[in-house]
Amino acid sequence: MNLILEIASGLCLLLGSFLCLSGGIGILRFPDFYTRMHAVGVTDTLGAGMILIGLMLQNPQGIVLLKLMMILLFTLLINPAASHALAKAALRNNLHPVLDESTNEGRNKPSKP
Amino acid sequence: MLTAATIAILVVMLLAIIRCIAGPSLYDRILAFNMFGTKTVLLISVLGFLMGRPEFLDIALVYALINFISVIGVLRFSDSAEFNHQRPEAASIKKDKR
Amino acid sequence: MVLGLYNYWIVVLLMMIGFYIVIAHGNLIKKLVGLTIFQTSVFIFYISMGNVDSGSAPILAEGVSRYSNPLPHVLILTAIVVGIATTALGLALAVRIKEAYGSIEEDEIQIQDQLTEDNSKC
Amino acid sequence: MIAIAIVRTKDLLAVVMLTGIYGLLSASFFVVLDAVDVAFTEASVGAGISGLLMLAAITMTGRTEAPKRHKPLLALLVVLITGGMLIYGTLDMPYFGSFDAPVHQHVAPRYINDSMQEVGVPNIVTSVLASYRAFDTLGEVAVIFTAGIGVLSLLALPQRRKPYLVDESGKEQMYKQHIVLRVISKALIPIILLFALYVQFHGDFGPGGGFQAGVIFAAAIILYAMLFGLDNAKRVFSLSLFQLLAAIGLLLYASVGVVSLFNGGNFLDYNVLADDPIAGQHLGILLIELGVGCTVASVMIIIFFNFAGRREAQQNGEER
Amino acid sequence: MLAHLPILQVIVPLMAAPLCWFLDRSKLVWLFALLVCGFSCLTSIALLQQVMSSGTIIYQLGGWDAPWGIEYRIDELNALLLLIISTIGTIVLFAAQTSLQKELPKERHTLFYSLYLLSLTGMFGIVATGDVFNVFVFLEISSLSGYALIALGKDRRALWAAYQYLIMGTIGATFILIGIGLLYQMTGTLNMDDLANRLAEVNQTRTVFAAFAFLIVGVCLKLALFPLHLWLPNAYAYAPSIVTAFLAATATKVAVYLLIRFTYTVFGIELSFSILPLQNLFIVLGLVGIFAASTAAIYKTNVKHIFAYSSIAQVGYMIIGYAINTSTGLMATLLHLFNHALMKSALFLALGAVMYRIGSVQLSQFQGLGRQMPLTMAAIVIGGLSLIGVPLTVGFISKWYLLLATIEAGMWPVAVLVLLGSLLAVLYIWRIVETAYFKPPLPGREPVKEAPWTFLAPIWILVLANIYFGIDTRLSVQVAQAASQSLFGINP
């Protein structure tokens, strides 16, 4: 039983790390704000969730578990909300997604960094 | 395994910082900031396990909350800053829509 | 032997950066940010002073025999509070200055002051 | 760490965000260095509250920094001298982390070894903070209180007239856009408040205590104020109530000391508060942590409300 | 209750500050604050008596022994400082109610008194404590309230001055924090007495030198010693008059106290003066300070500016006395601390009275005031004479001892320069006297009435004290002597 838990937690951690890393690369490499947001979404929910679940499997008892659940809940609640608000605010301030590099070059002017 | 996760998170944090510094628009920065905050939460919780004292998850919890609050704060204040000081033309467009 | 002190040197570097921002920059808010960095680096300095190799956080627990030094932690808790108090007051002052002078750049304020001084002389 | 600190560009908003990151980073640094309590505080203060205050200030003062006109050679010189002095000073220091350093040999061992018998609180930081060096903490509360009064004396507006009717509709519009956030926060705020209480009373056993709890509490209310509007927030939590609370917190702390005076001990000597010294210590620490939490939370809220109130007044003035 | 005097000294104003919020009416708050100040004044007198009769008082806060807990350690030096601060605080506060009516909107009065009391608390705390970190905490209390008090000034330049003061003050405080950290690193203790003992072992290390440098620079920033004085003139000039009178008389004194405490008690005379070239450095800085500041004072047109620069010059005298490093020199410094507090508070209060009546302290506005406000102007003249160091005033006594000390130490050139510096003071005082007495009143201005009695009473108490301690020197000299001798370890 213990071994299974150990392996499961290890797998979760690894998967989470991989997702985080890919998201991290994504945030650097993606061309515009909205695609970057996608990358962040991946790391923030799935990556974080995986790592947290991995941790939960490490020490499945008592208050520690409770706290981890709380953190998970918070990340799952907070991040989508924040991203939503962020996207909305960005759109309102005339930051348009890059749809096609060749035609839309002029429109992606950053709204004053 | 925990060490691997720590290293991965640290790398991601670094990437987020780069985006935050380079990010062409304000919102890129906020995004990176948000991501950075989440990663810090993860880092702290993993570190707690790494050091064998998992009761320090309290800190991670606080980070999560504080992170949320500061992102909201940045959003709210950047909104009003944009509208009222920096970009009068944007404000007028807004009014027209109403 | 040098490696044993690397931590302090990083702190010193941070301290210098913060201090430089305080002195060299003209923007009032920026100055306060610099001040925060300056203070934070001092905090890190204290905390690294209290660290012990293979020590654990100073909360008594079973199975842990070596703890870091709690005293610097206490001092820094106090100092952080003092720091935020100073920052808040400084920001309040900056806001008032903006209202009174219409600017938060050091040079512009000094020019304006010079003008008032001259006016009152004549 | 260093990289961030160096690249502080002209846009103040970005600078503030970088400061937030810096705060988070140094907090994680503190965790690595075993200073959990400090990390706790630094996270909530460095990354949270001070960033918010700076933001509030920036919206009032404008975002961009003017380019520099003079060459800061002199400043560079001063900084270099200071840094050189410090490096020079570090050369004779005991190595980082070595156990034999005088720091760990003289005063600290007693805290670590005896505080359980003398104070009876597992968190050594709390026992030192609230008992051995309680007077420092009293000073700290007084500093916060001073800052509160200072900000109040600088930014307080004369008595508010009737709320501006014209703006209400505009504001409503603005808040409607945040409907998702508002729903989420409505769910979160009670949890945050509960968590603050947990931190407040759990400070004896884990990281936390009055100060951190106060900041978290304040953060929850600030969140409310940001999303539901300052006027609404003021309707729920009136400003004068917080002024009262701030004063009461400081008084509570000091009067614990005075009571111990009357019970025949020295100032802030908790041993005399109850029949049993340990029980007395517990009572004393509980009370003063409560005082700290009270003052810190209310002063933070006072400061924030004053900043935000000032800002709204300015905007209303501009729109007319 | 007598055993608890040291803590009562600090804690009473501290608790009174929040209590101010519960009293609504401005006048009531004033009375309350005055009462509190009067009480702390009595406490400090009692403390001084206790110390003089039975030696150093040690009070352990929280009942913990010294290096673990914080202790208060009151010797002659602290007691003297406590007395100065509380007395000046009380007398100045007496005039506050009247002066504030003109200079501050009504709703800020309560806040003002709270801040005033907190500032007082901070200074008491710095002076009374025997723990270096506690010094830092209370230093911040006093300086934060100081910034806020200065920013209350009517002129918008007050804000800017307060901001500059905040930046400089915080840098100073952070430097002190670094210094404390380095000391702690080398010794593992924060208690001053314990530090002094344990530093003896490690005092040849570079870390201790660095700590020393940081502490000294930090304190000097607060002290407004010559090259670091830039924040002071504006801060004094644009603050509300009461604040100026209070801060000018006390804030720099506290910083001088810290300097003395750190160099003599914590680091020990040997390290401070024989290993490091501190003596010459300070004497030169002091002299340059006297001349530069006095010259600047001559060319200023705002009378508050004049006296602010003169304060910097006076700090120069104190530093010289301190740097001579003899018992007499230190005694001269302490005497000058006491005397300068008396004269500066009298002068700034008198300026406050002028401000109250004519709403400005530009020199040009002073024309003809000699006839219209005879009592106030007479006070300014006597205070000015005291600044110059004319016999029969307190200024003379301290200058006399300073000269004695320099001559004793064989530093003739310094003595001559000190005398020359006093001559510069004649010049700027004369400018005020000339304008006030020998120029006709400004045409087109309503004749000005004499200041109200709430101003005159404290001013003249201070002025009479000026003269009294100039003639009957037994009390002040005795205390100063005892303090300086105990610092040098000589038993009288």
Side-chain angles (χ1 to χ4, degrees), chain D residues 32 53 167 286 290 302:
Chain D
V32 176
L53 290 182
D167 297 300
L286 190 73
L290 204 61
I302 289 173

Side-chain angles (χ1 to χ4, degrees), chain B residues 82-95:
Chain B
E82 295 283 303
F83 276 89
N84 291 316
H85 294 279
Q86 252 19 60
R87 304 183 33 159
E89 71 281 344
S92 59
I93 292 168
K94 193 80 200 146
K95 265 175 200 157

Side-chain angles (χ1 to χ4, degrees), chain E residues 431-445:
Chain E
R431 278 181 68 213
I432 300 170
V433 173
E434 189 197 12
T435 335
Y437 284 92
F438 299 106
K439 285 197 180 157
L442 276 185
R445 187 172 69 189

Side-chain angles (χ1 to χ4, degrees), chain E residues 186-208:
Chain E
M186 293 315 285
T187 59
T189 178
L190 289 167
N191 183 275
M192 286 187 188
D193 214 39
D194 205 25
L195 264 178
N197 291 333
R198 293 178 62 90
L199 266 180
E201 296 165 23
V202 288
N203 72 12
Q204 289 300 324
T205 51
R206 286 172 280 196
T207 310
V208 174

Side-chain angles (χ1 to χ4, degrees), chain D residues 88-89 92-93 102-103 106-107 110-111 131 133 135-136 143 149 153 156 243-244 254 261 265-268, chain E residues 4 11 15 21-22 59-60 62 64 68-69 72 108 131 133-134 141 144 182 185-186 188 194 198 206-207:
Chain D
Y88 172 79
D92 274 347
M93 277 185 195
V103 179
H106 184 48
V107 174
R110 166 152 172 200
Y111 294 140
S131 186
R133 297 186 68 87
F135 196 62
D136 264 354
V143 169
I149 301 184
S153 72
Q243 291 185 9
L244 209 66
L261 265 187
N266 275 0
F267 188 72
L268 288 174
Chain E
H4 296 302
I11 208 69
M15 289 187 70
W21 283 15
F22 294 108
Y59 185 87
Q60 283 155 350
W64 301 108
W68 292 279
Y72 269 13
R108 304 255 155 104
D131 187 283
F133 194 78
N134 208 231
I141 297 182
L144 276 182
L182 290 171
Q185 173 128 49
M186 293 315 285
D194 205 25
R198 293 178 62 90
R206 286 172 280 196
T207 310

